[in-house]
Amino acid sequence: MKLFEQNNIHKENKERVSEATFIPVMTLSVIAITFLVGIWSIKELRDYKVDVNQLEQEFTEKQKNVTVNEVKNAFKYIEYLERNTEKRLKENLINRVDEAFQIVDNIYKRNKGKLSEKQIVNLIKDSLRPIRFNYNRGYYFIDHIDGYAVMNASSPESEGQPIMDLQDARGDYFIRKEMEIAKTKGKGFFEYYWIKPDQNGNKQYPKTSYLRYFEPLGLVIGTGEYMDNVTRDMQRQAFERMSSIKFGKDGYLFVNKRGTPLLINWEHYDNADSLANEYHISLPITDENGDTTYFKDLPSILVNTENNGGFYYYDYKKPNSDEIKRKFSYIIYFEKWDWTIGAGVYLDELDNQIAAKRSMLITELTTELFRILSLSTLLIAILWWRLRKVATGITNNIEEFSTFFDEASKEHVKINKDRLAYAEFDQLATLANKMLDDRESDRRKIIEAYHEIQTSEEELRQQSESLLYTNQKLEEAMQELKSAQVQLINSEKMASLGQLTAGIAHEINNPINFVSSNVQPLKDDIDDLIKLLDSCNDLTKDFESKEAFQKRVDEINELADEIEINVVKEEIKELINGIEEGALRTKEIVLGLRTFSRLDEDTFKSANINEGIQSTITILNNKVKKKDISMEIELQSDIPEIKCLPGRLNQVFMNVINNAIQAVEERTGKIKISTSYADGDDYINIKVRDNGEGMPQAIIDKIFDPFFTTKEVGEGTGLGLSISYGIIKKHGGEIMVSSKYKNDDSDEVSFTEFSIILPLVGEDDLKNEY
């Protein structure tokens, strides 16, 4: 008992490692270093931040004022050019037409009485035809007051042709307007839409023309210009002005259009698609508060800002350098030209001044750190003496543990805690002794478990091999099934494609044949009319006497009677009507094909079911005509659109309607197709009913099974209705069939009716291919 008490007293007198080392070290270190570094750091950082903020504010305000002034001056100049665009256009047109009018007048006065009017007109055409202006876009035209083209430099083939019935893209008879101005006012402007010379396509653009009427020859002389070309000329003038403006060290103006640079580094670019990479535009850009936006969104943002402008910050390549520097720009949006106009200042000058300030701070830091190190050295010397004493005790305890662990690895021994100097090592020794006791107990249990594991290991190995073999066979079978499924689906798609091709070829052939058969008679009639017109043109020549003139008139009348002019006019109308009817029929077939042929679309979209059904009927129309059967179509006009895969639903309609055509008898067959929808319902109903012989219940029960078919071998795959069933199910709908089988002992009428119910909102996406 007395020995136990002495051991406890001995343990209580032991000093803890944390008390001997950690507390004095940390206390002295934290008090000394934190006190000195904290006071110094707070003071230096506060002073540094104040200086930098003041420097940034002064530099930024000065540069912003310069930038705003330059951008606003450029903006005002662009506004001035835009306001005067129309005025400049009209002045230019008036000057050009006046010049041409003077040329025509001079030619007429010099040659009047010497040459015929036709020869004078040819001289005028030769003089005006080669003249070009407005960057080689402008040219002259001459029309006759009687309504035919005399000269058109951009369309020589139209010369001599009647032009009074020409219409532009808006349907306006602009030549009639031109002649009205010439007759009533003698000169003036008129506007219309027309095709640009040498352009690809038939798109028409707004154009303004000015004319003057030269009455002695009945000539209307004019020229025109497209408004967008004049606008580009004004923009080019703006570029030339802005490209010459420079300010500050690296300041310049720039212009962007929806993210595409048009003016950069004093250079004007008509095609600047690659400038973003060349000048390293760094997106996103930020405003003064650091909020992020994107370059193409700037126009919509600037329109809603005060004064239609704002400052933005971004990284950019400096002029004539590969350096990327931080920059801020003031930007204004000019909405009429969709231009983002701005100018910017690089912040590297500010960075240089801040760098000098930072260098000064580093010098001060070095001085202060020297003082801190000196004081720290003194503290470390004091702590070293204490730590050495503690380290000696810890070292002795560690050596004791090293000897113990070396012996414990060979045999079951325990450590003597009386040799340890600190309480923490006492606790560690207790845990080590307990660990050794537990290890010995666990060793015995492991030996027993080892013998049990060896017994079951062989059984587990055999079961694992069996499972691996079975899994391999299942994967091979799955791959074979997938391959077969793809082949069968492709076969069904090729069958549908064959039906589509046959129907379209026959449908288009009929109207095309009708058109081609009318072309030759129409050409013959037009040749007769041309002969008559040529004879009429001879009346404009000078005749020696009235008898010669009357004789020529009688010959023309005989020619008109010979070609039966009244009959020819009616025949031309009929032939043109026939050609128009064939073209419209072909157009209907092509539109139906375009609506139907969306089988590869895999995105749900809004579609009108009636259009899909109508396009399918158009494709199958050839089969309907071939069997001479009647088809009744009742498609509800106000049926709503649904979310679906239109091409896949067209495939369903093709299968169901084609089956109905095949099921009915020739000449007596009837098919009824209808759609219906009631207000408040969330679905629509499509029905396809035929008066064929119907199906017994045994066939109805299997009709949607894959590969089931009642057709002869080679006539069907048995997948059409199965695929249709899957498509409708994926849309969240239902497809049902009802039928009355023909029975010789019954007077009831046989029929088959497919009913398809589709929800207004289908699945969000298609996960499986059919």
Side-chain angles (χ1 to χ4, degrees):
M1 184 67 180
K2 187 178 292 185
L3 180 60
F4 180 76
E5 291 176 354
Q6 289 177 352
N7 288 336
N8 286 339
I9 293 171
H10 182 66
K11 290 179 182 180
E12 291 176 357
N13 292 333
K14 290 181 180 179
E15 188 178 16
R16 293 181 176 274
V17 173
S18 61
E19 295 173 350
T21 58
F22 181 79
I23 293 177
V25 172
M26 290 302 298
T27 301
L28 293 174
S29 299
V30 169
I31 291 174
I33 297 175
T34 302
F35 179 79
L36 294 174
V37 174
I39 294 176
W40 167 76
S41 298
I42 292 172
K43 177 181 178 300
E44 292 300 323
L45 288 175
R46 183 176 63 248
D47 294 343
Y48 175 73
K49 288 181 179 179
V50 169
D51 293 344
V52 168
N53 288 336
Q54 184 177 358
L55 186 62
E56 287 181 345
Q57 185 175 0
E58 293 175 355
F59 178 84
T60 303
E61 286 300 321
K62 179 180 177 181
Q63 297 300 326
K64 280 185 176 180
N65 290 333
V66 175
T67 304
V68 170
N69 289 335
E70 294 294 341
V71 173
K72 288 186 175 180
N73 289 337
F75 186 83
K76 291 177 181 178
Y77 180 68
I78 291 173
E79 282 186 321
Y80 166 77
L81 292 178
E82 192 279 330
R83 284 195 305 268
N84 288 275
T85 298
E86 185 175 357
K87 178 181 177 182
R88 179 172 177 177
L89 166 65
K90 291 186 174 181
E91 289 177 351
N92 185 47
L93 293 179
I94 291 173
N95 292 335
R96 292 298 180 181
V97 172
D98 287 347
E99 291 173 3
F101 190 87
Q102 188 63 39
I103 293 172
V104 171
D105 186 58
N106 290 336
I107 293 175
Y108 177 75
K109 289 179 179 178
R110 287 199 311 267
N111 297 282
K112 182 180 178 182
K114 301 178 182 178
L115 300 176
S116 66
E117 288 189 358
K118 184 176 181 180
Q119 291 174 324
I120 294 174
V121 169
N122 288 334
L123 286 176
I124 292 172
K125 290 166 60 176
D126 293 339
S127 299
L128 297 183
R129 190 190 305 275
I131 297 177
R132 293 292 184 273
F133 44 88
N134 291 346
Y135 301 99
N136 208 34
R137 297 190 308 264
Y139 58 89
Y140 291 112
F141 65 83
I142 302 175
D143 297 329
H144 198 274
I145 195 69
D146 292 336
Y148 62 89
V150 176
M151 186 198 79
N152 192 315
S154 67
S155 302
E157 69 278 0
S158 66
E159 295 180 7
Q161 300 296 321
I163 57 176
M164 290 295 285
D165 292 331
L166 286 181
Q167 292 178 275
D168 64 5
R170 298 177 301 183
D172 291 343
Y173 291 93
F174 61 94
I175 299 298
R176 298 180 184 179
K177 186 188 302 183
E178 172 190 347
M179 297 306 170
E180 180 66 21
I181 294 172
K183 292 176 181 179
T184 58
K185 300 179 181 180
K187 59 183 176 180
F189 292 95
F190 65 100
E191 297 178 352
Y192 56 101
Y193 280 74
W194 203 242
I195 303 170
K196 289 186 177 182
D198 303 325
Q199 74 168 13
N200 294 325
N202 295 320
K203 181 179 179 181
Q204 296 186 0
Y205 297 85
K207 185 175 183 179
T208 300
S209 289
Y210 180 74
L211 62 88
R212 287 190 66 177
Y213 178 41
F214 189 72
E215 189 173 359
L217 295 176
L219 301 180
V220 179
I221 306 161
T223 187
E225 180 64 288
Y226 295 92
M227 182 59 71
D228 58 338
N229 288 337
V230 179
T231 300
R232 278 194 289 272
D233 291 343
M234 303 302 284
Q235 291 173 346
R236 185 179 292 106
Q237 183 176 339
F239 285 141
E240 292 172 356
R241 169 75 173 270
M242 291 188 291
S243 63
S244 64
I245 296 175
K246 296 182 288 184
F247 56 93
K249 183 179 179 181
D250 297 305
Y252 60 88
L253 292 171
F254 63 84
V255 178
N256 290 290
K257 185 172 184 179
R258 297 288 172 179
T260 301
L262 302 179
L263 179 69
I264 290 181
N265 273 15
W266 316 303
E267 296 183 37
H268 166 216
Y269 294 88
D270 289 323
N271 184 2
D273 293 337
S274 63
L275 286 180
N277 292 329
E278 180 182 350
Y279 286 92
H280 302 283
I281 299 175
S282 176
L283 299 177
I285 61 180
T286 64
D287 61 13
E288 293 180 275
N289 299 320
D291 292 334
T292 302
T293 184
Y294 285 91
F295 201 77
K296 289 188 177 181
D297 293 335
L298 278 179
S300 59
I301 294 173
L302 291 172
V303 168
N304 298 320
T305 59
E306 185 178 0
N307 298 324
N308 193 27
F311 284 96
Y312 295 89
Y313 293 78
Y314 51 94
D315 294 331
Y316 206 73
K317 181 179 176 182
K318 294 192 70 175
N320 304 319
S321 172
D322 292 330
E323 293 183 276
I324 306 298
K325 295 296 183 179
R326 194 66 174 167
K327 180 181 182 181
F328 74 80
S329 291
Y330 181 74
I331 300 174
I332 294 180
Y333 179 56
F334 187 60
E335 188 172 6
K336 293 183 178 179
W337 288 354
D338 195 20
W339 277 12
T340 304
I341 307 157
V345 174
Y346 292 94
L347 301 179
D348 53 344
E349 293 184 21
L350 177 61
D351 293 339
N352 294 335
Q353 297 179 32
I354 294 175
K357 194 72 178 178
R358 187 184 299 110
S359 177
M360 185 184 300
L361 178 64
I362 291 173
T363 302
E364 295 178 357
L365 281 173
T366 304
T367 303
E368 294 298 329
L369 283 175
F370 177 76
R371 297 173 184 173
I372 292 172
L373 288 175
S374 300
L375 182 59
S376 299
T377 302
L378 178 62
L379 292 175
I380 291 171
I382 297 173
L383 293 175
W384 178 80
W385 173 80
R386 176 59 181 164
L387 290 174
R388 183 177 181 185
K389 178 181 179 183
V390 174
T392 301
I394 292 174
T395 301
N396 293 335
N397 284 188
I398 291 175
E399 290 178 353
E400 185 68 27
F401 267 91
S402 296
T403 303
F404 159 71
F405 284 121
D406 184 54
E407 294 176 354
S409 63
K410 301 174 183 177
E411 56 182 336
H412 185 64
V413 296
K414 293 186 178 182
I415 191 171
N416 186 358
K417 293 190 287 185
D418 293 334
R419 298 179 182 178
L420 304 176
Y422 297 105
E424 284 81 358
F425 287 102
D426 273 358
Q427 295 175 4
L428 184 61
T430 301
L431 293 174
N433 291 334
K434 183 177 181 301
M435 178 189 68
L436 291 173
D437 292 338
D438 293 341
R439 187 188 68 177
E440 184 64 23
S441 175
D442 292 339
R443 189 181 65 82
R444 289 193 295 268
K445 293 178 181 179
I446 290 171
I447 292 173
E448 295 174 359
Y450 175 74
H451 294 296
E452 295 178 0
I453 291 171
Q454 279 186 325
T455 303
S456 59
E457 183 179 10
E458 183 63 25
E459 297 176 359
L460 291 173
R461 186 184 64 78
Q462 294 176 356
Q463 292 178 1
S464 177
E465 291 178 353
S466 176
L467 288 172
L468 289 173
Y469 178 77
T470 303
N471 184 52
Q472 182 179 359
K473 291 297 182 181
L474 287 173
E475 288 181 354
E476 292 175 356
M478 180 62 71
Q479 292 297 328
E480 292 177 358
L481 285 174
K482 287 182 178 179
S483 177
Q485 181 186 26
V486 171
Q487 293 177 0
L488 290 171
I489 291 174
N490 287 336
S491 298
E492 180 63 21
K493 288 183 177 179
M494 291 303 294
S496 298
L497 181 60
Q499 296 174 358
L500 173 66
T501 304
I504 289 301
H506 189 275
E507 282 298 307
I508 292 181
N509 191 49
N510 289 335
I512 291 301
N513 286 337
F514 191 58
V515 172
S516 61
S517 64
N518 285 352
V519 170
Q520 187 57 45
L522 180 60
K523 290 173 63 178
D524 294 339
D525 290 341
I526 291 175
D527 288 341
D528 290 340
L529 287 178
I530 290 174
K531 291 179 181 178
L532 182 60
L533 290 175
D534 290 340
S535 298
C536 290
N537 285 337
D538 291 340
L539 294 177
T540 60
K541 299 179 179 179
D542 295 331
F543 288 88
E544 297 178 355
S545 63
K546 283 187 177 181
E547 289 77 7
F549 178 79
Q550 185 61 41
K551 180 181 179 181
R552 186 55 181 162
V553 171
D554 294 338
E555 290 175 354
I556 292 173
N557 290 331
E558 289 176 4
L559 178 60
D561 293 338
E562 180 182 345
I563 65 174
E564 298 180 343
I565 186 63
N566 293 329
V567 176
V568 169
K569 288 192 294 183
E570 294 300 323
E571 184 177 339
I572 288 176
K573 291 181 181 178
E574 293 176 1
L575 291 174
I576 291 176
N577 290 336
I579 292 174
E580 182 180 17
E581 181 181 352
L584 289 175
R585 178 58 184 158
T586 303
K587 179 181 178 181
E588 291 175 359
I589 294 170
V590 173
L591 288 176
L593 177 61
R594 185 176 66 179
T595 303
F596 179 81
S597 60
R598 296 186 287 182
L599 295 178
D600 292 332
E601 294 183 356
D602 57 1
T603 303
F604 276 75
K605 60 182 67 175
S606 295
N608 189 299
I609 292 301
N610 288 346
E611 294 179 359
I613 294 174
Q614 196 63 53
S615 67
T616 305
I617 294 172
T618 301
I619 302 305
L620 296 174
N621 189 46
N622 181 44
K623 288 191 173 184
V624 174
K625 292 180 179 178
K626 187 175 181 181
K627 295 191 73 171
D628 193 17
I629 59 178
S630 63
M631 184 172 289
E632 182 179 354
I633 312 298
E634 294 182 0
L635 305 180
Q636 185 173 333
S637 60
D638 59 347
I639 195 168
E641 293 188 348
I642 69 171
K643 296 287 285 185
C644 64
L645 296 172
R648 300 298 171 85
L649 290 184
N650 289 346
Q651 188 178 359
V652 175
F653 301 149
M654 168 69 83
N655 288 331
V656 174
I657 297 174
N658 187 50
N659 286 345
I661 295 172
Q662 294 175 347
V664 299
E665 298 290 337
E666 293 185 4
R667 291 183 294 279
T668 60
K670 295 182 179 180
I671 299 174
K672 180 178 180 180
I673 303 172
S674 64
T675 59
S676 60
Y677 166 77
D679 291 339
D681 290 345
D682 58 355
Y683 63 89
I684 62 174
N685 193 357
I686 303 105
K687 292 185 178 181
V688 179
R689 184 185 181 98
D690 66 71
N691 66 343
E693 67 177 7
M695 297 180 288
Q697 189 61 42
I699 292 179
I700 294 176
D701 293 339
K702 298 180 180 179
I703 196 170
F704 295 115
D705 293 347
F707 310 113
F708 177 77
T709 179
T710 59
K711 300 176 183 177
E712 297 295 332
V713 176
E715 294 185 3
T717 63
L719 288 174
L721 289 177
S722 174
I723 292 175
S724 299
Y725 181 85
I727 292 173
I728 298 301
K729 283 296 183 182
K730 286 297 180 180
H731 281 76
E734 295 287 341
I735 180 170
M736 298 166 287
V737 59
S738 60
S739 183
K740 178 64 180 177
Y741 185 59
K742 185 176 183 180
N743 191 335
D744 295 336
D745 299 333
S746 174
D747 294 333
E748 295 184 12
V749 179
S750 61
F751 72 91
T752 299
E753 182 178 84
F754 280 84
S755 181
I756 301 172
I757 296 176
L758 290 171
L760 297 182
V761 179
E763 298 292 332
D764 289 333
D765 60 2
L766 190 62
K767 296 181 180 178
N768 299 313
E769 290 289 332
Y770 305 118

